[in-house]
Amino acid sequence: MDFSSKLLENAVNEMSRLPGIGKRTALRLVLHLLKQPKENTAYLSEALLHLRNDMKNCEKCHNISDTVLCAICNNPKRNSEIICVVEDIRDVMAIESTSQFNGLYHVLGGKISPIEGIGPQNLKIDSLIKKVANEEVKELIFALSSTMEGDTTNFYIFKQIEKFNIKISTIARGISVGDELEYADEITLGRSIVHRIPFEQSIRG
Amino acid sequence: MDFSSKLLENAVNEMSRLPGIGKRTALRLVLHLLKQPKENTAYLSEALLHLRNDMKNCEKCHNISDTVLCAICNNPKRNSEIICVVEDIRDVMAIESTSQFNGLYHVLGGKISPIEGIGPQNLKIDSLIKKVANEEVKELIFALSSTMEGDTTNFYIFKQIEKFNIKISTIARGISVGDELEYADEITLGRSIVHRIPFEQSIRG
């Protein structure tokens, strides 16, 4: 693409680094901003900068949070004996929207994926094991996407915490194999939490 | 959507104001930025702010420009006797990429569209008429999209400049290169027969 303006070219290039945004889409988005009042661009830029610079991770569950402890971990009404293991904040949001879960979360930050070079050491697995070993956790619910990577991660964690005397369950396979958790409808996702089954049972098929 | 973080919510809301970006896509884009180095978000924000605050419109053709006169208007090799009337910078870029046009442009900034509340007074039509009246323009080429709005805009401008002694043309409408004839719409096909050109002319490019 041949831009007549360096400013425009820069903005389009930066915008098109975002996943799924090609040069043409980036140009359309940037031209839209040019037609809007200057404040809109300022709001967008500030919101992104604030987020990137001030965002914390909850010390307890590693979820994205504005404060040292996230709102869920900080809520005394939540049952701290049940921990739901998820991949990222989108899964927390998806499960929260079902209103079926009153425990706490543990956000791994991804799944074990040799192809993408993500091993157990890149995820928040150690802190989960420590949590299980030291705290009064009675049940762990695996709620990772039902994919090869999700299953691998489940199994890896299962092997590490087998020795502790806690219940380990996984959300019911009401969700089709291969589907991403964040796109599941609320009823299916809600039921899958209510009908969770022991992990041993799940790996037997 | 129920966000656990105000910072995240703000960023997603601002991002989802962009056209074609819903809340889910905005969340995906924003989480991508969180996984990238902080500099990337800074570069993006700065590029957008710079563009929005420092961008000028060329005084002559109204195209987006870093300088008072854009690179095309400033180029002494361009033929200032032919002006191509387009909607926005994307059309300038599209025509420039063909290397078939050596004249200047006039960027209207949109098309007349009563549904969207865009009238002639919202477009750079007055300055085009002044240009035709005062300068040595010999030909005006209409290169707006072939839609109701494009045709209306063409006709409105035509009525205003009819009285001046200049050639007024419009880009050829016909079957696109590579298109199957059987799928072409009747109007396009009809026009392409009425405005047929000598075969020798077509094989010369």
Side-chain angles (χ1 to χ4, degrees):
Chain A
M1 272 196 197
D2 181 35
F3 297 94
S4 56
S5 149
K6 266 281 158 205
L7 289 166
L8 184 66
E9 189 173 355
N10 261 350
V12 169
N13 283 344
E14 289 298 330
M15 197 64 124
S16 63
R17 284 169 176 236
L18 293 172
I21 307 281
K23 293 257 166 159
R24 268 175 200 274
T25 309
L27 181 60
R28 191 166 52 83
L29 297 178
V30 164
L31 290 179
H32 172 83
L33 285 176
L34 279 175
K35 282 190 181 174
Q36 301 290 310
K38 286 191 180 182
E39 297 87 72
N40 290 17
T41 308
Y43 292 149
L44 172 62
S45 297
E46 274 165 30
L48 294 180
L49 279 176
H50 268 206
L51 175 76
R52 191 63 190 88
N53 294 329
D54 303 338
M55 182 57 92
K56 294 174 188 65
N57 283 319
C58 171
E59 278 192 352
K60 205 165 165 186
C61 72
H62 311 296
N63 192 8
I64 285 169
S65 171
D66 298 353
T67 47
V68 178
L69 277 184
C70 75
I72 294 171
C73 289
N74 237 343
N75 185 348
K77 286 182 184 163
R78 309 282 301 212
N79 181 356
S80 63
E81 293 180 339
I82 307 182
I83 291 179
C84 184
V85 180
V86 294
E87 190 186 333
D88 70 15
I89 187 174
R90 283 175 291 187
D91 304 326
V92 173
M93 288 167 65
I95 293 174
E96 283 298 287
S97 71
T98 70
S99 310
Q100 294 285 344
F101 181 66
N102 192 38
L104 301 182
Y105 293 93
H106 186 92
V107 179
L108 294 177
K111 289 170 290 193
I112 295 172
S113 170
I115 292 171
E116 294 174 58
I118 302 171
Q121 71 284 357
N122 302 116
L123 305 174
K124 303 292 186 189
I125 290 179
D126 283 350
S127 65
L128 175 63
I129 292 162
K130 267 184 208 146
K131 212 182 267 183
V132 170
N134 301 335
E135 291 178 38
E136 289 171 350
V137 179
K138 291 201 174 148
E139 181 175 356
L140 214 62
I141 305 175
F142 289 133
L144 299 185
S145 298
S146 181
T147 58
M148 179 78 88
E149 288 83 6
D151 289 345
T152 307
T153 313
N154 284 345
F155 194 70
Y156 179 88
I157 298 173
F158 172 70
K159 277 292 166 195
Q160 309 277 312
I161 57 173
E162 239 183 337
K163 57 190 178 221
F164 301 111
N165 181 30
I166 64 164
K167 196 173 154 193
I168 304 170
S169 56
T170 175
I171 54 170
R173 304 273 174 182
I175 299 159
S176 342
V177 174
D179 265 3
E180 297 280 348
L181 202 73
E182 60 185 294
Y183 298 115
D185 69 279
E186 292 178 11
I187 296 169
T188 308
L189 193 55
R191 277 186 192 165
S192 72
I193 287 172
V194 173
H195 300 298
R196 60 189 181 272
I197 53 169
F199 186 68
E200 288 96 328
Q201 200 175 316
S202 85
I203 50 175
R204 282 202 302 273
Chain B
M1 271 195 200
D2 181 35
F3 296 94
S4 55
S5 150
K6 265 280 159 207
L7 289 166
L8 184 66
E9 189 173 353
N10 261 350
V12 169
N13 284 344
E14 289 299 329
M15 197 64 121
S16 64
R17 285 169 175 234
L18 293 172
I21 307 281
K23 291 258 168 161
R24 269 175 201 272
T25 308
L27 181 60
R28 190 166 53 82
L29 297 179
V30 164
L31 290 179
H32 172 82
L33 284 176
L34 279 176
K35 284 189 182 176
Q36 300 289 310
K38 285 190 180 181
E39 297 88 71
N40 290 17
T41 308
Y43 291 148
L44 172 63
S45 297
E46 274 165 31
L48 293 179
L49 279 176
H50 267 207
L51 175 75
R52 190 63 191 86
N53 294 328
D54 302 338
M55 181 57 92
K56 295 173 186 66
N57 283 318
C58 171
E59 279 192 352
K60 204 165 166 188
C61 72
H62 310 296
N63 193 8
I64 286 169
S65 170
D66 298 354
T67 46
V68 179
L69 277 185
C70 75
I72 295 171
C73 288
N74 235 344
N75 184 348
K77 287 182 185 162
R78 309 281 303 210
N79 181 356
S80 62
E81 293 181 339
I82 307 182
I83 291 181
C84 184
V85 179
V86 294
E87 190 187 335
D88 70 16
I89 186 174
R90 283 175 290 188
D91 304 327
V92 173
M93 288 166 65
I95 294 174
E96 282 298 286
S97 71
T98 69
S99 311
Q100 294 287 342
F101 181 66
N102 192 39
L104 301 182
Y105 293 92
H106 186 92
V107 179
L108 294 176
K111 288 170 293 194
I112 295 172
S113 170
I115 292 172
E116 293 174 56
I118 302 171
Q121 72 284 358
N122 302 117
L123 305 174
K124 303 291 185 189
I125 290 180
D126 283 349
S127 64
L128 176 62
I129 293 163
K130 267 185 208 146
K131 213 183 270 182
V132 170
N134 302 334
E135 292 178 39
E136 290 171 349
V137 179
K138 292 202 173 146
E139 182 176 356
L140 214 61
I141 305 175
F142 289 134
L144 299 184
S145 299
S146 182
T147 59
M148 178 79 87
E149 288 84 6
D151 290 345
T152 306
T153 312
N154 285 345
F155 193 70
Y156 179 88
I157 298 172
F158 172 71
K159 277 290 166 197
Q160 308 280 312
I161 56 174
E162 239 183 337
K163 57 190 177 223
F164 302 110
N165 182 31
I166 64 165
K167 195 173 154 193
I168 304 171
S169 55
T170 176
I171 53 169
R173 310 291 185 200
I175 310 293
S176 303
V177 174
D179 264 7
E180 299 279 353
L181 207 68
E182 60 188 291
Y183 300 121
D185 67 279
E186 289 162 27
I187 299 171
T188 306
L189 193 55
R191 279 188 192 173
S192 74
I193 290 172
V194 172
H195 301 294
R196 61 192 178 272
I197 53 168
F199 184 69
E200 290 95 327
Q201 198 174 317
S202 82
I203 51 176
R204 282 203 302 272

